[in-house]
Amino acid sequence: MTRDELLQQLYDFTLVGNGPEVLGLTRQGLDMGLGPETLLYEALIPSLEEVGARFERGDFFVPEMLIAGKAMAGALEILRPLLAETGVETIGKIVMGTVKGDVHDIGKNLVNIMFEGAGFEVIDLGVQVAPEKFVDAVREHRPDIVGFSAFLTTTMPMFKANINALQKAGIRDQVIVMVGGAPVTQEYADVVGADGYAADASAAVARAKELLQQRRAMAPA
Ligand code: B1M
């Protein structure tokens, strides 16, 4: 099988949610020498985008979305150690979670993997995380950054609720707030008062490093 044929098959089997084929092709792709980023950005993620487009058109329903998501999540588990392969020292701590009311976690998990790969310690609170749980985690773990993911226009307002909860607890200034997720924009991040936004996992790492550097440069010696 050629490289292009493998990527096409990986795309097609993800689209129909065939988990065993997706796992097999992911392993085969790695054996062929394809990088984990190639498998992700040239097959797995475009396939899920197409799943979303079909759902919007009414050609796919929730079960199709679910099995495609599961197939992708399986592949991500194989790619995780490769993406997070790192010898670098811990450069910061981040608490991450998908906001209350939202069960999407593939994007968040990918961001976590890239953060780990860049040397961050990641504390993952999972999905449907309520504001008080974020507050408790910030108090307990004292992270440099708290990251909120939201994937639905209806759950994006939880960013503001989370930030309000941090403010009410008197700890808003102790932590950098980053937000992201498919429908989120820089403008929205600004409106809710987040410190940073990124459109994808690699950009999230770059932005986090930037914000951390700024914060540390401003901190009293
Ligand atoms: Co859902 N869903 N879904 N879904 N689902 C979307 C998000 C949708 C865009 C599909 C569509 O209509 N085109 C749509 C949202 C529309 C909107 O609000 N604008 C949608 C909908 C409507 C729904 C339901 C409401 C459907 C229903 O029940 N009628 C329902 C909601 C359930 C709920 O949460 N309460 C629902 C359910 C589900 C499943 C459970 C079936 C499944 C989730 C499985 C899972 O995550 N474990 C699912 C899936 C698979 C999708 C799509 C198809 C794929 C999502 C995905 O994993 N993408 C999605 C369509 C799409 O996104 N095009 C869709 C791949 C992933 C790598 O990308 O998630 O964007 P992404 O993550 C990126 C960036 O966003 C960014 O980096 C990530 C990696 O590069 N990022 C950050 C993420 N977090 C970040 C944090 C940061 C910085 C960057 O800083 C802290």
Side-chain angles (χ1 to χ4, degrees):
M1 198 183 323
T2 67
R3 169 192 192 278
D4 288 350
E5 281 165 355
L6 184 132
L7 291 173
Q8 184 62 48
Q9 282 200 20
L10 188 54
Y11 176 97
D12 291 340
F13 280 119
T14 306
L15 196 60
V16 297
N18 186 328
E21 287 287 353
V22 169
L23 288 185
L25 286 162
T26 301
R27 289 199 184 97
Q28 210 178 322
L30 293 172
D31 289 345
M32 266 170 84
L34 296 180
E37 286 91 356
T38 305
L39 300 170
L40 262 178
Y41 294 107
E42 293 188 35
L44 294 163
I45 291 180
S47 185
L48 278 197
E49 280 165 4
E50 177 58 20
V51 171
R54 290 187 184 194
F55 177 77
E56 268 175 36
R57 292 201 301 268
D59 295 336
F60 269 17
F61 298 96
V62 173
E64 281 94 345
M65 234 172 18
L66 191 59
I67 55 168
K70 278 195 176 147
M72 160 84 172
L76 211 53
E77 281 314 302
I78 296 181
L79 300 180
R80 174 185 284 271
L82 301 169
L83 289 165
E85 220 163 55
T86 171
V88 294
E89 277 176 39
T90 303
I91 57 168
K93 199 191 276 187
I94 179 161
V95 161
M96 279 283 292
T98 298
V99 299
K100 186 175 172 182
D102 202 321
V103 303
H104 295 86
D105 67 355
I106 297 169
K108 167 187 67 64
N109 294 344
L110 187 53
V111 172
N112 286 349
I113 291 171
M114 298 305 263
F115 269 129
E116 282 167 9
F120 282 87
E121 180 190 345
V122 178
I123 293 132
D124 183 8
L125 303 182
V127 298
Q128 305 241 51
V129 182
E132 36 308 351
K133 207 168 160 196
F134 277 115
V135 168
D136 288 348
V138 169
R139 280 204 177 114
E140 184 188 342
H141 300 287
R142 300 184 161 273
D144 302 287
I145 301 173
V146 59
F148 308 138
S149 292
F151 303 92
L152 299 165
T153 40
T154 49
T155 56
M156 280 162 53
M158 287 312 297
F159 291 158
K160 188 67 194 154
N162 290 342
I163 290 172
N164 286 347
L166 291 173
Q167 241 146 15
K168 206 168 152 206
I171 52 176
R172 169 66 185 96
D173 294 338
Q174 293 171 20
V175 70
I176 295 167
V177 172
M178 280 191 69
V179 297
V184 185
T185 60
Q186 179 66 60
E187 290 68 35
Y188 193 80
D190 291 342
V191 168
V192 297
D195 301 310
Y197 156 80
D200 59 43
S202 323
V205 170
R207 187 74 185 114
K209 283 183 176 171
E210 219 172 70
L211 289 164
L212 207 54
Q213 226 166 29
Q214 284 168 11
R215 178 69 60 113
R216 285 177 179 164
M218 279 165 49

